[in-house]
Amino acid sequence: MAFLPQQAILELGDAFYDPVHAARFPKQILRFRNDRAAASLGLDGLSDTEWLAYFAGFEPLAGSLEQPLALRYHGHQFRVYNPEIGDGRGFLFAQMTDSAGRLMDLGTKGSGQTPYSRFGDGRLTLKGGVREILATEMLEALGVNTSRSFSLVETGEELHRGDEPSPTRSAVLVRLSHGHIRIGTFQRLAHLGETEAMAKLAAYVLRHYYDEEPGEDAPARLLSHVVARTARLAAQYMAAGFVHGVLNSDNINVTGESFDYGPWRFTPTWAPRFTAAYFDHAGLYAYARQPEAIYWDAAQLATSLSLIAEENALVTALDGFPEAYHRESATAILWRLGVVPRDPEQDRALAQSVEQVLAATDTPTDRFYFDSFGGKLPERYGEPFAALREQLTAYAPRKPRQHPYWSDSEPCSMLIDEVEAIWAQIAEKDDWSALDAKVAAIRRMGEALV
């Protein structure tokens, strides 16, 4: 397809962002380019030289934004409100329309300091970039609505970090997202009492991300959409066995797209208290608490929108979250089981049985879904799985197990030991073959699942 540039964000005006300049890096070493994602934008034909000029040098893409923009937002961080955040080491670089007709953003991480950097250096460790590639590739393959790692360029600086061996190598990441408007973007306007700006932002989101025109009921409609999308995201996290780690309100996109991967993990088993962030001492964002956390963030959007909307309509919209979550949870689990949905009540019962038996038996999550894909649970899964096996007999397979992936001896997983092993080869030997091989294996699994 042809590249279709956009400048939609400029409709909001300069009260929503600050023009910034990208850092200049001593080196530009291309480590990852996502040509599959680039093809959806008409950018897959770029040479490596052109790629580096745009996604490390940040020359403007013709017809898109003339200058990068650091977006303004606030947010609750571990339930504590923080009005001193915003794009501190990234910016919105470009907007365009993708092959599905959606407005898309190319945003950065590690591209230099902005007015919101505070005491940070605005940089990204190379390890952080590698980890984001692995997270987004795995989540995309597992059917989770996620941003996509678009480009990773090593930048030649030595960074010092207090929570990992230093000095360490640096990088700049470009991610492809369906918008960068966060719940925290609305919270900032509510905090400042900016009524007109709030209405403008609600109209922007409805128009560009939900294909609806605003009206008197715009805030409640917007909240209903966000509730539905974020409930789906929570359900997809649980079915994928994924723990985001930092589900603060500034990390929740109003399109329901997962993004910004710091201390993420995949759970080896269905472990409710499993956490990803070493600093999450209270387990606020533990695996099984993620739906609660995302609901809490959606409630902060409702609170913010009360600046311009009647409270009862917002409460009604927010109250839709639990039912939406249970419905989406069944959909996500049945998708991983590889079976065709039948009846909402039966589907929900099946999904609950899966969660209960996985939790009770400490069964490896990825192994279970690998073995049961298509609805046939092997006999070696003994008595604890008998009732679930009976439930599955009523379900037809979504697709046959014909892809070569299903003949593998082990499922494709992404546990922390493998993440660290992939990074060790890069850190110690500058050997990128393990990362390349893992991305290929993940995409192969994705082909088998869809």
Side-chain angles (χ1 to χ4, degrees), residues 245-318:
V246 189
L247 291 174
N248 297 331
S249 60
D250 59 299
N251 284 340
I252 303 296
N253 191 328
V254 295
T255 65
E257 179 188 75
S258 177
F259 75 111
D260 201 12
Y261 299 98
W264 60 268
R265 295 273 187 98
F266 283 89
T267 58
T269 61
W270 209 102
R273 298 178 181 176
F274 186 90
T275 57
Y278 69 88
F279 47 82
D280 188 3
H281 304 295
L284 181 64
Y285 299 141
Y287 174 54
R289 295 188 68 183
Q290 292 183 117
E292 168 204 338
I294 292 174
Y295 171 77
W296 192 92
D297 289 329
Q300 306 318 302
L301 177 59
T303 300
S304 299
L305 288 170
S306 67
L307 183 69
I308 59 170
E310 196 270 328
E311 185 175 323
N312 287 340
L314 297 174
V315 170
T316 299
L318 185 63

Side-chain angles (χ1 to χ4, degrees), residues 190-209:
H191 180 81
L192 298 174
E194 297 285 353
T195 304
E196 291 185 10
M198 180 79 77
K200 179 184 286 190
L201 181 61
Y204 175 88
V205 172
L206 280 172
R207 184 176 295 115
H208 289 292
Y209 299 117

Side-chain angles (χ1 to χ4, degrees), residues 132-432:
E132 183 141 342
I133 291 169
L134 292 170
T136 55
E137 289 286 336
M138 193 70 178
L139 289 173
E140 182 183 357
L142 290 175
V144 178
N145 182 21
T146 179
S147 64
R148 303 169 77 181
S149 298
F150 191 81
S151 173
L152 183 68
V153 174
E154 188 169 358
T155 55
E157 296 175 311
E158 290 189 341
L159 304 180
H160 292 267
R161 295 291 185 267
D163 57 351
E164 59 184 86
S166 295
T168 189
R169 293 153 71 177
S170 58
V172 61
L173 176 81
V174 177
R175 60 166 69 104
L176 177 63
S177 297
H178 186 38
H180 276 83
I181 305 300
R182 312 155 188 254
I183 287 176
T185 313
F186 285 87
Q187 287 182 280
R188 172 180 170 271
L189 299 177
H191 180 81
L192 298 174
E194 297 285 353
T195 304
E196 291 185 10
M198 180 79 77
K200 179 184 286 190
L201 181 61
Y204 175 88
V205 172
L206 280 172
R207 184 176 295 115
H208 289 292
Y209 299 117
Y210 291 103
D211 297 320
E212 293 183 6
E213 287 301 315
E216 289 187 6
D217 62 342
R221 277 192 289 122
L222 171 60
L223 181 61
S224 293
H225 287 308
V226 176
V227 163
R229 293 282 187 91
T230 54
R232 179 187 302 171
L233 177 63
Q236 290 174 340
Y237 277 170
M238 298 302 291
F242 181 73
V243 185
H244 183 281
V246 189
L247 291 174
N248 297 331
S249 60
D250 59 299
N251 284 340
I252 303 296
N253 191 328
V254 295
T255 65
E257 179 188 75
S258 177
F259 75 111
D260 201 12
Y261 299 98
W264 60 268
R265 295 273 187 98
F266 283 89
T267 58
T269 61
W270 209 102
R273 298 178 181 176
F274 186 90
T275 57
Y278 69 88
F279 47 82
D280 188 3
H281 304 295
L284 181 64
Y285 299 141
Y287 174 54
R289 295 188 68 183
Q290 292 183 117
E292 168 204 338
I294 292 174
Y295 171 77
W296 192 92
D297 289 329
Q300 306 318 302
L301 177 59
T303 300
S304 299
L305 288 170
S306 67
L307 183 69
I308 59 170
E310 196 270 328
E311 185 175 323
N312 287 340
L314 297 174
V315 170
T316 299
L318 185 63
D319 284 348
F321 189 99
E323 176 60 30
Y325 171 74
H326 289 303
R327 182 176 63 252
E328 294 292 350
S329 180
T331 298
I333 289 175
L334 266 63
W335 186 85
R336 280 210 78 179
L337 287 169
V339 297
V340 179
R342 297 181 74 245
D343 170 81
E345 289 189 12
Q346 290 182 349
D347 295 347
R348 182 176 298 184
L350 177 61
Q352 289 173 341
S353 294
V354 169
E355 292 182 337
Q356 289 167 1
V357 74
L358 289 180
T361 59
D362 210 28
T363 301
T365 304
D366 293 328
R367 179 85 249 180
F368 166 79
Y369 282 119
F370 180 84
D371 291 341
S372 61
F373 188 85
K376 301 291 186 181
L377 194 58
E379 290 298 325
R380 68 175 180 275
Y381 286 83
E383 178 58 29
F385 291 84
L388 175 59
R389 183 181 286 105
E390 179 63 25
Q391 284 176 284
L392 281 169
T393 61
Y395 284 82
R398 177 164 56 82
K399 62 181 300 188
R401 294 173 63 103
Q402 293 179 341
H403 192 280
Y405 171 71
W406 302 116
S407 298
D408 292 355
S409 59
E410 297 291 335
C412 181
S413 296
M414 182 55 66
L415 303 182
I416 189 60
D417 289 347
E418 185 174 8
V419 175
E420 293 297 331
I422 290 170
W423 169 247
Q425 288 199 35
I426 295 170
E428 298 167 10
K429 304 175 185 178
D430 202 30
D431 181 356
W432 291 77

